[in-house]
Amino acid sequence: MMMSTIEMNRGLYHFNDKLYFWLLKPVARGYGFIIPEELRLAVRNVFYNIRFPVRFINCLLQGKGRKASYEFGQFFINTTVGIAGLANVDDNYQT
């Protein structure tokens, strides 16, 4: 017998709720407690830098040339001076 859509949604909601409460939330708290804030910020900066192509193409497709050039400049500065994006050097030069 097949499950109805409502029953499946309820089951998935219950599963996701328990997964978050019992696994993901404690892992996130432990990560925040163990890893120093400076290292967490460096990791965040690297992932922001990695997502550059998506933001850049998005700006181009929307016809936002000025924003695309800003994204490219920020990526270039943070990748070269910021050592592969570990530091957000461009943050200090925003106008």
Side-chain angles (χ1 to χ4, degrees), residues 8-72:
M8 188 174 6
N9 285 343
R10 286 183 181 156
L12 287 173
Y13 174 82
H14 182 72
F15 173 78
N16 288 337
D17 189 48
K18 297 303 176 196
L19 179 72
Y20 170 74
F21 184 77
W22 292 106
L23 179 67
L24 299 178
K25 193 173 184 179
V27 168
R29 284 189 174 161
Y31 174 78
F33 181 75
I34 294 171
I35 306 298
E37 187 174 356
E38 295 82 16
L39 184 56
R40 293 192 316 255
L41 183 59
V43 169
R44 185 180 316 135
N45 289 339
V46 167
F47 280 106
Y48 183 81
N49 211 35
I50 288 172
R51 290 189 309 264
F52 157 75
V54 174
R55 291 190 314 273
F56 181 71
I57 298 295
N58 187 36
C59 290
L60 290 178
L61 291 174
Q62 292 183 26
K64 297 179 179 178
R66 182 172 289 177
K67 176 70 174 155
S69 65
Y70 171 77
E71 288 286 348
F72 181 79

Side-chain angles (χ1 to χ4, degrees), residues 49 52 70-82:
N49 211 35
F52 157 75
Y70 171 77
E71 288 286 348
F72 181 79
Q74 184 180 27
F75 173 76
F76 182 76
I77 291 171
N78 288 338
T79 301
T80 55
V81 180

